[in-house]
Structure formats: structure tokens, C-alpha cells
């Protein structure tokens, strides 16, 4: 049972445009959500997070939106840059457990 | 933040052998975890490495196959025992630090291929 799902395995976006990556979850106990970026041959690196008490968190070009009723979150990158090309994982967890459940990842390619 | 050193970075092993992966964190650590990423799949949690006691395994993972040690706060090992080609995967060590607010730091991973 996949508790965290990323239904789009890949996404291709032109430089300067908006990238929108989506994630759905099934476990209503999750109250903390994170996005990670992963380059080949490297470990995932933290990008941005949001707790369930918020519906939006912004950090520079990156914004995460949370829709609790739909059990859906999304990551917006604007403007997209070629250096953003990587695999993006969403992750969910319960606060104070530090244990995260990851989605299957979306490979983002930003082309000039 | 934390820097996690993981080794080896990659290995090619024969069926039936075992490989031990080491993970060292450079700062104070709250929790340590081991994940697996099979080709084209998600990062799957194998176990939580507990200092000085047996690791806590997730469903589908057992101590006999994946023995884990954590002799001190900042060091842990994962052994993949009696390997088969199905164990070919990336194995990732991760850790949380005080005040990291649920954010995990990851090592660069061990790419394991079993022939």
C-alpha cells in the first residue's frame, strides 16, 4: 500500500516557466510534509516543508501548497531553471517521529 | 545541518555473500535511519537504527537479512546478508538532528549490484 504517491514519473518544462509537481497521500495521520531533490549519484537534499496547520509555504522560487481535505500537496517552482533538473520526492510523516514515507519521485527536466 | 559520510559508494558482489555499509555523521544526531531505493522505485524505510539496542524494522524487513548496528550516537552500519540479485539497489543512510524539524539529512548512498 503506497501511502504517498506521485503519479507523474516525469515532467518537462521550458526554462523560465512554472514547474508544478504533485503528490497525494492516504494516511490522515500525516501532519508534516517535505520535498526533496535528488541528483544522480547523490543523496536526496531537503528543499522545503510544510506542516498541516498551514496551506502554503514559500521559499524563494519554491512554494509548497497543501490541501488537507483532498490529501494533496504540490510544489511550484517559478521561474524554472536548468539547474532544477533532478528527481523530486515528496515525503510525509508524523511530527516528532522523524520517520518519513516517500513518494516514487518525479523526474523534472528544464530545457532552455 | 549534518554531513553524512557513507561507504562504500558502490560495490559489485557475488550472490550469497554479505556487504556491510558504514555511515558516519559529523554532528549531534537525534535519529538514524536506513532506506533502500530499488530501480525506479521510492525510497523505502528499512529500519530505525537505535543506539545500543536492536534496530526497529519496518514491515517486510528482518534482522537476519539486514542486521544493523549503532554503537554510538553518530555511527551506524547496515549489513545486507546472503545477497541475491533482488538486493541490487541504492542503500541510503539518513539522520535527523536536534531542531531539524522532521528534516532528514541523507548520505550519498551505496549503489549495490549483486551478480
Amino acid at each position: 500500500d503506497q501511502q504517498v504517491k506521485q503519479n507523474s514519473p516525469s515532467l518537462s518544462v521550458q526554462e523560465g516557466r512554472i514547474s508544478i509537481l504533485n503528490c497525494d497521500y492516504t494516511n490522515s495521520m500525516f501532519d508534516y510534509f517535505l520535498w526533496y531533490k535528488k541528483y544522480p549519484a547523490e543523496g536526496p537534499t531537503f528543499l522545503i516543508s510544510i506542516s498541516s496547520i498551514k496551506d502554503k509555504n514559500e521559499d524563494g522560487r519554491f512554494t509548497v501548497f497543501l490541501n488537507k481535505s483532498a490529501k494533496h500537496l504540490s510544489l511550484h517552482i517559478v521561474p524554472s531553471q536548468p539547474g532544477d533538473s533532478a528527481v523530486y520526492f515528496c515525503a510525509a510523516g508524523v511530527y516528532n517521529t522523524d520517520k518519513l514515507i516517500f513518494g516514487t519521485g518525479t523526474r523534472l527536466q528544464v530545457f532552455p | 545541518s549534518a554531513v553524512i559520510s557513507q561507504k562504500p559508494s558502490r560495490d559489485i558482489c557475488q550472490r550469497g555473500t554479505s556487504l556491510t555499509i558504514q555511515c558516519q555523521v559529523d554532528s549531534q544526531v537525534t535519529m538514524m535511519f536506513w532506506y533502500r531505493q530499488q530501480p525506479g522505485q521510492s525510497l523505502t524505510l528499512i529500519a530505525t537504527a537505535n543506539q545500543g539496542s536492536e534496530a526497529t524494522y519496518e514491515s517486510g524487513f528482518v534482522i537476519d537479512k539486514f542486521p544493523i548496528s549503532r554503537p554510538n550516537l553518530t555511527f551506524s552500519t547496515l549489513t545486507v546478508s546472503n545477497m541475491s540479485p533482488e538486493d541490487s539497489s541504492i542503500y541510503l543512510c539518513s539522520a535527523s538532528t536536534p531542531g531539524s524539524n522532521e528534516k532528514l539529512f541523507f548520505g550519498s548512498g551505496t549503489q549495490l549490484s549483486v551478480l
Side-chain angles (χ1 to χ4, degrees), chain B residues 55-74:
Chain B
T56 304
Y57 289 85
E58 298 299 307
S59 176
F61 298 96
V62 296
I63 187 172
D64 290 346
K65 177 66 177 177
F66 298 102
I68 289 170
S69 77
R70 188 179 172 192
N72 58 55
L73 278 175
T74 61

Side-chain angles (χ1 to χ4, degrees), chain A residues 68-90:
Chain A
K68 288 190 294 292
S69 61
K71 294 191 176 68
H72 177 83
L73 65 154
S74 61
L75 174 68
H76 292 209
I77 306 173
V78 55
S80 301
Q81 300 173 355
D84 296 329
S85 298
V87 177
Y88 289 78
F89 291 95
C90 74

